[in-house]
Amino acid sequence: MSFSAFSRAYKPVIASLMLLFTSGCASYYSHFAMFPAENSSGESRQVRLSWQSAEYPGWWLASDKATSVKLETQCSDRVWRLRDGDDAGGCDTGIRACGERGRDLVAATAQPAAGTTRCMAINPVDPGARIARLGNKLELLVSCTPAAVTEGQGDDARNLDYLRASSVPYTVYVRKAPRGSMRARLPEFDESVCDAE
């Protein structure tokens, strides 16, 4: 059998194997949590965490993967992204979000935060923490406070407040559901609270 005949005969098999190795073995999930807390102004708010993950079987070559963790506070336009690894910035290790000069203050000292200031961390005592390995319970440490809680005036005003800083981490319980299922829909904020204020 010549090579070209061999190639034609096994092309469908090779294509199937390539498809198998480049896709399909991952299970995709949505993760989210919603909990009540106060923002830095002392107002009662809902706080929402959310991220997506791809989990591979133990025998697969690829490692589990996850998006950044999105942290939102009810009535606020400020959205935080907590990341891990090299993409997270130069403010410590683990799962973290760095401060922004001019936007954040270190809560303990009221000094301006910088890109080297860790403002938020998930499971802060674990320097090797990774989003893809988070379970159904996590600890969230907030170390910064907004430099200003609003930006602009009148109808153009934007709320930039966020979850109140605390020396003790918040304990957060996370739900996990197959991506695309009805259970994977994020809980929505009640915006009427914001309109009333």
Side-chain angles (χ1 to χ4, degrees):
M1 178 184 277
S2 71
F3 178 76
S4 62
F6 175 84
S7 175
R8 278 194 305 272
Y10 287 96
K11 211 175 243 183
V13 174
I14 293 169
S16 297
L17 286 173
M18 290 300 290
L19 185 62
L20 175 67
F21 280 106
T22 57
S23 66
C25 278
S27 297
Y28 299 95
Y29 295 97
S30 296
H31 307 257
F32 56 90
M34 184 97 102
F35 63 96
E38 289 185 351
N39 61 18
S40 72
S41 301
E43 300 162 326
S44 181
R45 295 288 183 254
Q46 292 290 315
V47 177
R48 182 171 63 200
L49 295 173
S50 60
W51 70 97
Q52 307 285 323
S53 70
E55 298 179 8
Y56 294 87
W59 52 267
W60 196 249
L61 299 175
S63 300
D64 293 349
K65 301 189 183 327
T67 64
S68 59
V69 176
K70 184 178 182 182
L71 186 146
E72 302 165 276
T73 304
Q74 184 183 28
C75 303
S76 176
D77 292 325
R78 182 79 185 268
V79 177
W80 286 87
R81 294 274 182 183
L82 289 90
R83 296 177 168 87
D84 58 24
D86 296 335
D87 296 334
C91 58
D92 213 348
T93 57
I95 306 168
R96 70 244 186 228
C98 305
E100 291 183 45
R101 187 174 299 281
R103 296 189 82 187
D104 303 301
L105 303 173
V106 178
T109 64
Q111 294 298 309
T116 55
T117 306
R118 184 181 77 175
C119 279
M120 294 194 184
I122 291 176
N123 296 344
V125 297
D126 181 4
R130 292 293 177 263
I131 299 167
R133 295 197 297 259
L134 289 175
N136 61 358
K137 178 182 174 185
L138 58 85
E139 291 188 333
L140 173 66
L141 182 66
V142 181
S143 306
C144 292
T145 190
V149 296
T150 58
E151 179 180 78
Q153 295 180 342
D155 292 340
D156 296 327
R158 296 174 61 224
N159 186 322
L160 302 177
D161 210 348
Y162 53 84
L163 180 60
R164 179 191 289 268
S166 174
S167 57
V168 177
Y170 294 89
T171 299
V172 181
Y173 294 92
V174 178
R175 293 184 61 185
K176 174 181 174 181
R179 195 181 310 172
S181 69
M182 289 296 288
R183 294 187 300 122
R185 294 179 64 183
L186 287 180
E188 295 185 7
F189 290 127
D190 179 5
E191 298 299 340
S192 65
V193 173
C194 314
D195 297 337
E197 292 180 352

